[in-house]
Amino acid sequence: MNRKRPGTGPLTVTVFVFPGVRLLDVTGPIEVFASANEFGGHYQVQIASEDGAEVVTSAGTRLSADLSLSEVREPSDVLVVPGGPEWETLIKDEALLDVVRQLNEKARCTASVCTGAFLLAAAGLLNGRRAATHWRHSRQLALRFPSVQVEPDAIFVRDGKMMTSAGVSAGIDLSLALVEEHYGAEVARAVAKDMVVFMQRPGGQSQFSVHSRAPHTRQEMLRRILDAVAENPGANHTLTAMARTAGVSVRHVTRLFCEEVGTTPARYVEQVRLEAAQVLLETGDDAMPVVARRTGFGSPESLRRAFVRRLGVTPGAFRASFRTTGVSTNDAVSEAISA
């Protein structure tokens, strides 16, 4: 089914590039739209830089631009704003932000990839809106731009004409969603199979954000508790045991966690245990009962419930998805893709 507006020409996708842009943030979406053209889509993709000159990406690769800002006269159906590792510098570049604002005015839909969300936020385009970015930077986005409602676990978010996506490859997920919106699920599915990617990947960003750092705190008693949990997640870490470790009351421990960590003791312990389980599943061959016991969950069922609730995938699916690229199981992968 073709959902493109009848009687119109190709849908124009303008990808904005700038010095230091991340290469895959640019090429991932372009590949999706170009591939869609092979399966019934009709996209015209153009790369625009501020002055029409080529740019050097963060990887050192040179990218040529098709046109400059002044040459973007017709409205774009989709504007793609990629990110870059030097986003802290980019959001202070008023000239660059002004280009983003001008391009957004001429776009029916504006979509960012990874830290491109910081450019949109700094340009004032995400005020009062929901947004996503790479899990590693979601806290910074929320702190720097409190008017933006950050959804840290989302792969991509749409709020009105604005779309924002998580890190790097999530730009492919976002672009596939746009292809489905424009030309239907069959075309998007064909593109996903052609690129050998999920049409809709299982789970959210939480499954990627393992090894999170322990919270910083000046409270020595709380530091002792946090260290004890990190050093041995499978030990007894009930509220009573924590209070005993710190030499304070249960009530005081609860208050410290609320003020210093921003969560309850039980939720913090579960998060640390979950990360420990992820490491074991990624790197070892232990059976699920062993993983559950070593990480303090007790039983495989408790482990499974925690994974599904916090990450959106089962422990088995996590192990299968993140332990290997599948190079040794080509037959199974080929069958799954062609199904």
Side-chain angles (χ1 to χ4, degrees):
M1 178 177 64
N2 189 317
R3 299 182 180 181
K4 189 171 93 57
R5 297 181 303 279
T8 61
L11 296 180
T12 302
V13 177
T14 300
V15 183
F16 175 51
V17 297
F18 46 85
V21 69
R22 190 182 293 275
L23 184 61
L24 187 56
D25 287 8
V26 175
T27 58
I30 288 177
E31 281 294 331
V32 171
F33 297 122
S35 182
N37 286 344
E38 300 177 22
F39 299 101
H42 194 189
Y43 289 103
Q44 177 181 319
V45 180
Q46 57 189 19
I47 299 177
S49 66
E50 182 177 359
D51 56 4
E54 69 175 18
V55 300
V56 179
T57 71
S58 62
T61 303
R62 294 182 178 274
L63 281 178
S64 296
D66 300 308
L67 67 173
S68 65
L69 170 64
S70 62
E71 294 172 313
V72 182
R73 298 185 179 91
E74 298 298 322
S76 299
D77 292 283
V78 179
L79 167 66
V80 178
V81 179
E86 301 300 322
W87 59 267
E88 289 182 279
T89 300
L90 294 173
I91 62 175
K92 299 173 185 176
D93 187 337
E94 280 301 324
L96 184 72
L97 298 180
D98 192 50
V99 172
V100 172
R101 294 185 191 101
Q102 292 181 57
L103 288 172
N104 174 70
E105 289 178 0
K106 300 176 182 178
R108 295 186 175 92
C109 171
T110 296
S112 69
V113 183
C114 196
T115 55
F118 283 86
L119 295 179
L120 298 186
L125 303 177
L126 296 181
N127 291 342
R129 295 183 184 273
R130 295 159 44 246
T133 190
H134 191 290
W135 62 264
R136 194 186 301 277
H137 304 299
S138 59
R139 179 174 172 79
Q140 276 296 318
L141 184 62
L143 289 174
R144 289 172 181 262
F145 305 101
S147 63
V148 179
Q149 183 182 332
V150 180
E151 297 192 6
D153 194 43
I155 299 297
F156 64 86
V157 170
R158 180 161 198 166
D159 191 331
K161 68 173 277 186
M162 311 302 296
M163 295 185 73
T164 49
S165 62
V168 192
S169 62
I172 293 174
D173 299 81
L174 179 150
S175 301
L176 282 170
L178 285 170
V179 170
E180 181 176 7
E181 178 182 315
H182 297 151
Y183 295 104
E186 289 185 10
V187 175
R189 189 176 298 111
V191 174
K193 287 184 176 182
D194 186 59
M195 296 181 66
V196 199
V197 297
F198 287 114
M199 184 171 173
Q200 181 178 357
R201 76 174 77 185
Q205 288 197 80
S206 297
Q207 59 195 327
F208 300 101
S209 57
V210 295
H211 315 306
S212 63
R213 296 176 177 84
H216 296 290
T217 177
R218 296 179 181 179
Q219 296 286 345
E220 180 59 32
M221 62 184 69
L222 180 59
R223 181 77 270 157
R224 289 200 299 271
I225 296 174
L226 298 178
D227 289 345
V229 175
E231 289 169 7
N232 189 0
N236 175 24
H237 296 301
T238 63
L239 193 52
T240 301
M242 289 181 180
R244 189 182 306 118
T245 297
V248 295
S249 68
V250 166
R251 183 176 179 180
H252 190 55
V253 170
T254 303
R255 183 178 63 81
L256 283 177
F257 265 85
C258 180
E259 293 177 352
E260 298 284 325
V261 185
T263 188
T264 66
R267 285 184 63 83
Y268 177 76
V269 170
E270 183 182 69
Q271 180 61 37
V272 173
R273 287 174 170 170
L274 196 64
E275 294 183 1
Q278 287 173 273
V279 172
L280 291 180
L281 291 171
E282 287 178 355
T283 60
D285 296 314
D286 291 332
M288 290 301 172
V290 176
V291 173
R293 183 174 66 254
R294 288 181 62 185
T295 55
F297 284 102
S299 70
E301 179 57 25
S302 295
L303 178 67
R304 188 193 69 81
R305 286 199 300 267
F307 261 75
V308 171
R309 181 175 65 253
R310 300 290 287 270
L311 305 182
V313 294
T314 65
F318 179 89
R319 169 174 271 173
S321 298
F322 299 104
R323 282 197 62 199
T324 175
T325 61
V327 67
S328 61
T329 56
N330 276 341
D331 290 342
V333 172
S334 297
E335 290 176 7
I337 292 172
S338 61

